Amino acid sequence: LCAKDKGWFNWWTGTSFDMLRALEKRILSYLKTPYRGSFVDVGHCVGEADKIWTLSLNTESPNVPLVLVHGLGAGVALWVLNLDALARERPVYAIDVLGFGRSSRPRFSTDPMVVEKQLVKSIEEWRREMNLQEMILLGHSMGGFIAASYALSYPDRLRHLILADPWGMPEKPKEFENNARIRFWLRPIFAVSKMLNPLWPIRFAGPYGPSLVSRFRQDIVMKFSNVITDGMDISNYIHQCNSQNPT
């Protein structure tokens, strides 16, 4: 995970695990609560030896711990506005979902149902390694989808489930392909788009990625403006989280 970055892809995108680590540390420096970061080995969930990057706060508290699962394209540092308050009375753990942030980036299955099971398994293996008998699980956006799926598989491990603006995707009807009428000239575009990772524009933009994030997701950057003095730290962090080699 900390190997020296090489290759034309890293050169074009400006990707660097060292820079990602530095940006995360800079953003989290605004916390008042002491925290500890560590890689938790979850074994063979997707890759051979997957590791989940974890922030731990107030672990001395005897109360039921709160576990935070971020959304698509995010990372643990984006909880910076919430961590102090959340960790006031209980242990808090924020994780980089497998395939995101500083966690391992294995090659997931191309079957979405299998991927869902792989992500759920990674959280359960993480819980076992952390020796948490019970937890409060909070998922935001895509993290809400993962958290809900985990709750269905392991309800006995949860004291509470909190879904913050969660994703929800119904199953595609079997007759959809037959009934859908797509204009002839659009079919090649749809065919290509199916093969692309949803975060490809950030990688394609290369060194202009942070500016792209700042321009088109100004709403996210502005949420941190009262705390983070340099707004580009957030844009650069999001860029670094999502310009790494895709999984």
Side-chain angles (χ1 to χ4, degrees), residues 1-3 17-18 20-21 24 36-43 49-56 76 94-98 100-105 126 129-130:
L1 288 173
C2 298
F17 275 113
D18 289 338
L20 175 57
R21 181 172 60 247
E24 178 190 282
R36 180 176 63 88
S38 61
F39 288 102
V40 177
D41 192 337
V42 295
D50 297 322
K51 294 178 174 59
I52 290 181
W53 177 245
T54 304
L55 296 185
S56 306
V76 293
I95 65 173
D96 275 340
V97 174
L98 203 61
F100 292 87
R102 294 175 63 186
S103 290
S104 298
R105 291 174 174 262
W126 175 88
E129 286 297 317
M130 297 297 290

Side-chain angles (χ1 to χ4, degrees), residues 78-245:
L78 295 185
W79 294 106
V80 65
L81 301 181
N82 313 103
L83 290 173
D84 282 325
L86 294 175
R88 192 169 296 145
E89 297 181 354
R90 68 180 65 253
V92 171
Y93 300 96
I95 65 173
D96 275 340
V97 174
L98 203 61
F100 292 87
R102 294 175 63 186
S103 290
S104 298
R105 291 174 174 262
R107 287 290 176 182
F108 286 89
S109 169
T110 56
D111 184 335
M113 297 297 291
V114 174
V115 174
E116 181 181 343
K117 292 179 180 178
Q118 290 173 328
L119 290 172
V120 168
K121 179 182 178 182
S122 71
I123 293 180
E124 173 59 10
E125 292 302 319
W126 175 88
R127 182 200 63 77
R128 290 181 183 178
E129 286 297 317
M130 297 297 290
N131 195 29
L132 303 181
Q133 299 305 310
E134 190 179 35
M135 59 186 177
I136 301 169
L137 189 60
L138 187 159
H140 171 250
S141 188
M142 185 192 76
F145 177 83
I146 298 171
S149 184
Y150 178 89
L152 292 173
S153 299
Y154 301 98
D156 295 341
R157 294 302 181 184
L158 298 184
R159 174 72 65 88
H160 300 292
L161 173 66
I162 303 173
L163 304 179
D165 191 21
W167 279 12
M169 293 164 283
E171 185 176 356
K172 183 169 64 175
K174 294 181 179 179
E175 65 275 8
F176 175 81
E177 298 292 347
N178 295 328
N179 295 339
R181 295 182 179 180
I182 302 175
R183 294 182 182 274
F184 178 78
W185 62 274
L186 284 175
R187 291 177 184 175
I189 298 176
F190 277 100
V192 172
S193 66
K194 287 182 179 180
M195 297 185 291
L196 294 175
N197 185 290
L199 299 170
W200 72 268
I202 294 179
R203 301 186 185 98
F204 182 78
Y208 305 102
S211 298
L212 189 70
V213 173
S214 181
R215 179 176 180 180
F216 290 99
R217 292 314 310 264
Q218 186 67 23
D219 58 317
I220 295 179
V221 176
M222 289 302 296
K223 289 179 181 178
F224 297 86
S225 60
N226 291 334
V227 176
I228 309 299
T229 56
D230 186 350
M232 284 306 295
D233 280 349
I234 297 297
S235 298
N236 282 318
Y237 176 73
I238 294 174
H239 172 250
Q240 285 294 324
C241 280
N242 296 292
S243 61
Q244 311 290 334
N245 285 318

